[in-house]
Structure formats: C-alpha cells, structure tokens
Amino acid sequence: WNESLSFLSRTVDATQRAVAVRMAALRTRTTSVLVCASTDNASIELLLDVCEQVGEPTYRQQEVPPTLRAAAWDCWAVLCTLLDDLRIAGDDIGRGLSVLVQLQEALESPHPELRSAAGQALSLVHESRLKLGRNDGNVTERRFHKGSWQDTVFETTMDEIQQRISELAVISSQRVSKKSKKEQRATFREYVATLVDDESPHEVVHLRAGTLEATSWKRLIVLNFMKATLQGGFQLQLMANTTLQG
C-alpha cells in the first residue's frame, strides 16, 4: 500500500492523463485506504481532501471532467463511512458540512452521474446528522434539537437541497432518454426518502449462502463500491475474504 500510494497520487494529479486512468487511480487509492488503512485517520483525511478538490469544477488550474468529479464524490462518500457520525455531520467539525455548497452546486450539473454522486453524499451526511439526534434518545423531537438542521447556518442550504432532490426524483426533461429518466427517478427516490422523509435505505443482496442486508447509507455505499470494484468476483470474495466480511 505504501509503495503504491505515491504512484496513484501522481496519476490522479496528472491532468494530461486519460480521464478513465485518473478515475481508476482514485478508486484504487480509495480501495487501498478502505482495506489497508481504515483505522489510519491521517490517510483517510488526506484522501478526503483530494476528493473534495477533484470534485470541484477545476483542479490544478484545469477543468475537471464531470465523470471524474462524480468518481471523486463517490470515493468521498466511501471514505466518510470510515468516520463517526460526529466527524461527518457534527457542528464545527463535520466534513460533510464544509462541502454542502459544493454538493448543492453539483446537483445542478447536466450530467446524471455527477448529480447522483452528489445526492448519495448528501444522503450520507443527512443520515449521520439524524443519528446524532437519535443518540440523545429524543427521536420524536430530533427535528428541533440535536441532529436537526433547523436554526443552524445550514438550514436554508438544506431546504434548497431537499427541494432540488425532490425535483430530480420526478425529472421529465425531454433531453433525457426514457431509460435514463427511469433510472434517475428510482435513484433519487432513495435520496428523497432520506433527505426529505428521514428514512434510511434498505437493500437485500442475495448470496449463495444466504442474504446480506444494508440498512444504512454507510453499509450500502461500501457494498455498492465493492460490488463495482470486484464485479464478477464479488460473491466469491464475500464468502471467503475475511477482510471484506469484516
């Protein structure tokens, strides 16, 4: 992992490289941190910084392609699953709070992949915010106490984000194909369930030896990321790989 780190970092930074190569390097570096350095806060925070920078419209004075920006926010969400809820969404220290405006701007992109990546990251941040309220035992009043956006500097931003997410869940632009519209609606309905209705996702993965349930964005994000990484080897690895099982 240490030997590959500098090479992967240089590849992500190399603006003259093909976008697919830079995306692969960023995803590989994220996977290496997830597997090899999941308790190394310095490595996690450092790569989160990189993801936030690459997720911007420009990086190193060069325009960032939307697909690379989407990959950056996907990786950002994966890395955030290694943090506790306070570090994600707590006042003053939450990493998610510092990028709310960036993610909100990404929702306005004409590129579906970037909008979806932003929606996923926002869903994770909101879920963590809610959990901070649930931890104090005051579930019914959490909207008005700990775990709420109300009466914070983020309240207006979150109201606008919730409205935009709801719009994307029912998008009807003629410039979008029927298949893309259907996929986006399904995806953003999941985001609406969390960001508007305060519900966590629930997905069941059927395996040869049983089923695996994901009942939070933290679990679902890692699950989807590893499925995309391992592809056809996912089920076999999940049965035999103790690191992945952990």
Side-chain angles (χ1 to χ4, degrees):
W1 174 64
N2 284 324
E3 291 174 355
S4 67
L5 188 59
S6 60
F7 169 74
L8 293 172
S9 300
R10 291 196 306 272
T11 304
V12 173
D13 289 343
T15 55
Q16 75 279 8
R17 291 265 194 167
V19 174
V21 174
R22 296 174 71 193
M23 289 172 58
L26 185 58
R27 290 181 63 87
T28 301
R29 187 174 169 188
T30 300
T31 304
S32 71
V33 171
L34 185 67
V35 174
C36 303
S38 60
T39 59
D40 183 352
N41 286 336
S43 296
I44 298 168
E45 299 280 354
L46 179 61
L47 188 49
L48 279 168
D49 289 340
V50 173
C51 290
E52 290 172 9
Q53 292 164 15
V54 178
E56 291 274 28
T58 59
Y59 177 63
R60 297 172 69 88
Q61 300 181 326
Q62 297 287 331
E63 183 177 348
V64 184
T67 50
L68 180 56
R69 292 181 64 194
W73 288 118
D74 279 340
C75 291
W76 184 91
V78 171
L79 294 164
C80 277
T81 66
L82 301 174
L83 306 178
D84 60 38
D85 293 320
L86 190 64
R87 187 70 185 97
I88 297 172
D91 290 331
D92 301 324
I93 64 169
R95 293 223 49 146
L97 306 190
S98 65
V99 296
L100 282 182
V101 174
Q102 287 175 257
L103 293 171
Q104 182 184 19
E105 291 173 348
L107 288 177
E108 301 300 326
S109 169
H111 299 276
E113 290 180 4
L114 180 53
R115 291 198 300 261
S116 181
Q120 175 181 255
L122 287 163
S123 297
L124 173 66
V125 173
H126 185 69
E127 183 182 66
S128 291
R129 184 80 175 185
L130 292 177
K131 287 181 179 178
L132 293 176
R134 289 168 182 159
N135 288 341
D136 66 10
N138 195 356
V139 179
T140 58
E141 299 296 326
R142 66 176 180 270
R143 288 181 179 274
F144 307 101
H145 296 283
K146 189 177 180 183
S148 169
W149 301 104
Q150 185 167 328
D151 297 327
T152 70
V153 296
F154 311 105
E155 182 177 3
T156 300
T157 301
M158 285 305 300
D159 286 345
E160 293 172 352
I161 286 170
Q162 290 168 338
Q163 181 178 345
R164 179 58 176 157
I165 288 287
S166 298
E167 292 171 352
L168 290 169
V170 293
I171 191 168
S172 59
S173 172
Q174 294 183 356
R175 293 176 296 177
V176 181
S177 69
K178 287 186 178 180
K179 181 180 179 181
S180 296
K181 281 193 288 189
K182 183 177 180 180
E183 290 174 350
Q184 176 166 300
R185 285 171 181 165
T187 299
F188 277 87
R189 278 197 292 268
E190 292 183 353
Y191 301 156
V192 167
T194 297
L195 286 160
V196 178
D197 300 327
D198 297 345
E199 297 176 1
S200 292
H202 183 269
E203 184 166 319
V204 179
V205 178
H206 296 281
L207 307 171
R208 297 171 191 171
T211 60
L212 177 67
E213 284 189 286
T215 56
S216 70
W217 281 106
K218 279 190 173 183
R219 283 186 63 86
L220 184 58
I221 286 169
V222 173
L223 177 65
N224 288 337
F225 185 82
M226 293 311 299
K227 282 171 65 177
T229 300
L230 296 170
Q231 298 185 35
F234 174 72
Q235 292 230 11
L236 180 61
Q237 289 294 321
L238 196 59
M239 288 190 296
N241 190 319
T242 55
T243 300
L244 186 61
Q245 291 169 351

